Amino acid sequence: MASEFDYDLVIIGAGVGGHGAAIHAVQRGLKTAIIEAGDMGGTCVNRGCIPSKALLAASGKVREMRDEQHLKAMGISLGSVGFDREGIADHAKNLVGKIQGDLTNSLIRLGVDTIRGWGKIAGTQKVSVQEGSGTRIITAKDIILSPGSIPFVPRGIETDGKTVYTSDEAIRLDWLPEWVAIIGSGYIGLEFSDVYTALGSEVTMIEAMPQLMPTFDPDIAKQAERMLIKPRDIETKVGLLAKKITPGFPVEIELADPKTMETVEVLEVDACLVATGRIPATKNLDLNMVSVETDRRGFIPVDEHLAVLRGEEPVPHLYAIGDANGKMMLAHSASAQGIVAVDNICGDSRTVDYNAIPAAAFTHPEVSFVGMTEPAAKEKGKEEGYEVASVRSYFKANSKALPEGETDGIAKLVYRKDTGEVMGAHIIGIHAADLIQEAANAIAQKQSVTELAKFVHTHPTLSEVLDEAYKLAMVTA
Ligand code: FAD
């Protein structure tokens, strides 16, 4: 490729987005460099997916082994089950170290140059890297911005990283508070409530919206409240905004009516996890060098090919992927976008179908979804002139869930009544995060419930929960 540039492609940010883009770029023959100022692997590897799933795996085992009734039903009895907080924290820490090492080595093996330092746009097809006290200018035919995101801490909330903290500190499990407030009932809040309650902490979950888990399909949110909140040591405060939080012993939380902003209650707890979402890490990238402005929240505007937009027009040779563009703030979405951006750079016109990208909360049991919620699908159907229907199938009749003694859960399928095309799938139950992939593939391929009902599923497996849903939908379609 062109030799007038130092590289064919330079990527700013070595999170999963940047890493996915770099690997694909090498496979496509591009001379590639990746610039990283912090921890190789970014949020997912160091402060997100990986350590949180390690905490969930270990604490989930504690929960399971302490569930005497569940074990007794299978003829198992255990003495008392103990755990070592530090050991669980180390399990997460060691896993981070291993995956970070694997990721770093994979870049070396593939011949990607890793440049450590803060990257910025220095002009068209130019980046600068702050390395120690010096600055180096690198030219590249194409540039991908993948700077990711950081936790959002609303105004009025003061964090000290010890008693009031975000997920960045929570994943270290430095201590186990007896009583912890969690602000936000999104997937991060929900996952940490799973960890804390399994390890014996009492949780107060605070949600400013009128209902818990506002982004879930309403039926699944109801089930999640029944299965993940009500039976556990979790008190909920819904429709209340954490107006002011002061760290210390105790932590003081002022709760206000979101409309009037008047304080209605003051809580005193041992610790507080602020899980109120994430914001793009796009400050200090010098986007002004190419006359690009982020949106109000800081997201980099992109078109469907992931090209950065200047007003309405794509900026040549500049792309932005992952959490920083706000399209879908998930690890697999970031790496998928990285691959698509590289393909576009190589001249293949490609876009990402966000509707077919699944998401999951790795609670016990898991919650997963892909595509539209039923209300959103019905709204779309109304606009476009077709009817939308839904069916539910249950884990309680499933021959794999029954022997496991894990029969609580449902799968809900949302589909077009006229064509049978699947519009959304929502699952809560054991291994829901693995199960959703089948529905995601069906949505990506625009398959109908009638087609899907003809595929043969292995017996006895949890996948038969979806099989049953397709068959039910076919009958009623
Ligand atoms: P990041 O991973 O944030 O990486 C960006 C990188 O760029 C960082 O390393 C940063 O240091 C670097 N950088 C930024 N600016 C510069 C600069 N100017 N110069 C040089 N380097 C720079 N997603 C899932 O799909 N599944 C999950 O189970 C899941 N669990 C999560 C749990 C938690 C607690 C959290 C917080 C997140 C979780 N996520 C999960 C979300 C996931 O981590 C993110 O969507 C993903 O990491 C985004 O990848 P990215 O490459 O866009 O950005």
Side-chain angles (χ1 to χ4, degrees):
M1 297 269 299
S3 56
E4 62 189 283
F5 298 100
D6 297 326
Y7 290 97
D8 297 319
L9 176 65
V10 165
I11 301 161
I12 297 185
V16 281
H19 178 250
I23 290 183
H24 193 58
V26 173
Q27 282 163 349
R28 299 228 45 181
L30 303 185
K31 184 182 176 198
T32 304
I34 194 161
I35 303 171
E36 174 57 57
D39 299 320
M40 293 297 292
T43 307
C44 175
V45 172
N46 299 284
R47 301 170 294 280
C49 329
I50 300 302
S52 64
K53 265 77 267 182
L55 296 183
L56 280 157
S59 60
K61 289 207 190 303
V62 174
R63 184 190 295 284
E64 198 181 343
M65 285 187 288
R66 282 185 171 171
D67 189 347
E68 282 175 28
Q69 260 183 319
H70 174 77
L71 293 174
K72 200 168 159 206
M74 292 195 271
I76 302 168
S77 59
L78 284 177
S80 72
V81 175
F83 68 88
D84 165 25
R85 176 202 55 79
E86 232 175 307
I88 293 180
D90 283 347
H91 169 54
K93 197 169 134 194
N94 295 338
L95 196 64
V96 166
K98 181 191 163 2
I99 295 184
Q100 198 195 68
D102 290 349
L103 178 141
T104 309
N105 290 336
S106 72
L107 292 173
I108 297 169
R109 207 174 44 245
L110 289 167
V112 175
D113 283 350
T114 300
I115 301 165
R116 306 289 279 154
W118 186 262
K120 285 183 191 179
I121 297 290
T124 304
Q125 298 175 297
K126 249 187 242 162
V127 296
S128 69
V129 189
Q130 188 79 41
E131 289 173 309
S133 56
T135 300
R136 173 174 155 200
I137 300 289
I138 300 169
T139 60
K141 184 172 168 290
D142 289 282
I143 297 166
I144 296 181
L145 303 171
S146 183
S149 65
I150 52 171
F152 168 62
V153 178
R155 232 175 337 139
I157 299 180
E158 192 191 324
T159 59
D160 65 352
K162 291 188 182 76
T163 59
V164 181
Y165 46 82
T166 69
S167 58
D168 279 1
E169 292 88 20
I171 44 103
R172 295 202 302 253
L173 202 71
D174 285 335
W175 63 300
L176 264 179
E178 261 177 54
W179 184 8
V180 55
I182 298 181
I183 317 292
S185 64
Y187 79 95
I188 295 179
L190 213 53
E191 287 185 351
F192 274 103
S193 76
D194 203 272
V195 171
Y196 280 127
T197 52
L199 300 182
S201 301
E202 203 178 311
V203 170
T204 296
M205 185 173 268
I206 296 155
E207 172 57 60
M209 299 295 278
Q211 83 265 13
L212 285 172
M213 299 162 269
T215 56
F216 288 1
D217 180 273
D219 279 344
I220 298 295
K222 242 185 257 160
Q223 295 293 334
E225 188 169 349
R226 182 181 64 76
M227 291 159 73
L228 300 172
I229 307 276
K230 291 249 161 77
R232 298 179 180 175
D233 218 348
I234 305 177
E235 179 196 22
T236 56
K237 293 191 180 287
V238 177
L240 286 177
L241 189 105
K243 178 168 113 180
K244 187 163 186 246
I245 302 183
T246 315
F249 299 99
V251 171
E252 201 172 273
I253 303 177
E254 265 183 54
L255 296 176
D257 178 321
K259 286 196 192 98
T260 62
M261 283 311 277
E262 259 174 49
T263 302
V264 292
E265 191 178 348
V266 178
L267 280 180
E268 287 188 348
V269 293
D270 298 319
C272 177
L273 165 63
V274 183
T276 42
R278 297 181 63 82
I279 47 169
T282 51
K283 280 190 187 148
N284 210 8
L285 275 178
D286 280 359
L287 291 171
N288 57 312
M289 293 299 284
V290 283
S291 308
V292 167
E293 274 180 37
T294 61
D295 77 2
R296 185 176 48 83
R297 293 164 304 167
F299 290 112
I300 303 173
V302 291
D303 68 8
E304 74 271 26
H305 299 288
L306 299 154
V308 172
L309 290 172
R310 184 191 294 131
E312 302 284 297
E313 290 301 312
V315 180
H317 307 291
L318 188 62
Y319 296 78
I321 61 166
D323 282 8
N325 68 26
K327 292 280 176 203
M328 196 181 209
M329 296 173 84
L330 289 171
H332 44 287
S333 165
S335 56
Q337 289 179 26
I339 291 166
V340 167
V342 167
D343 283 342
N344 284 317
I345 285 168
C346 293
D348 303 335
S349 177
R350 281 195 62 201
T351 57
V352 178
D353 180 3
Y354 298 99
N355 202 44
I357 298 183
F362 293 80
T363 43
H364 295 84
E366 295 169 346
V367 188
S368 63
F369 61 90
V370 60
M372 293 185 179
T373 62
E374 187 170 7
K378 286 204 157 138
E379 198 55 47
K380 189 166 189 249
K382 216 183 325 165
E383 276 164 26
E384 296 180 1
Y386 53 81
E387 270 186 71
V388 169
S390 69
V391 285
R392 286 155 192 73
S393 60
Y394 299 87
F395 283 64
K396 69 179 173 216
N398 178 272
S399 308
K400 182 78 185 286
L402 277 163
E404 294 284 345
E406 301 272 2
T407 50
D408 209 359
I410 70 164
K412 175 176 169 181
L413 205 62
V414 181
Y415 59 99
R416 272 178 76 144
K417 241 180 155 176
D418 55 353
T419 62
E421 186 179 325
V422 181
M423 296 180 77
H426 307 266
I427 308 176
I428 179 166
I430 179 176
H431 296 309
D434 293 294
L435 284 178
I436 201 68
Q437 194 59 48
E438 175 178 335
N441 295 350
I443 290 181
Q445 290 165 32
K446 307 205 178 310
Q447 285 175 311
S448 77
V449 289
T450 315
E451 259 178 289
L452 292 161
K454 290 179 189 147
F455 294 136
V456 180
H457 289 69
T458 320
H459 178 75
T461 62
L462 296 168
S463 73
E464 290 172 292
V465 173
L466 274 178
D467 186 35
E468 197 191 323
Y470 299 143
K471 290 190 165 109
L472 274 170
M474 186 186 65
V475 171
T476 55

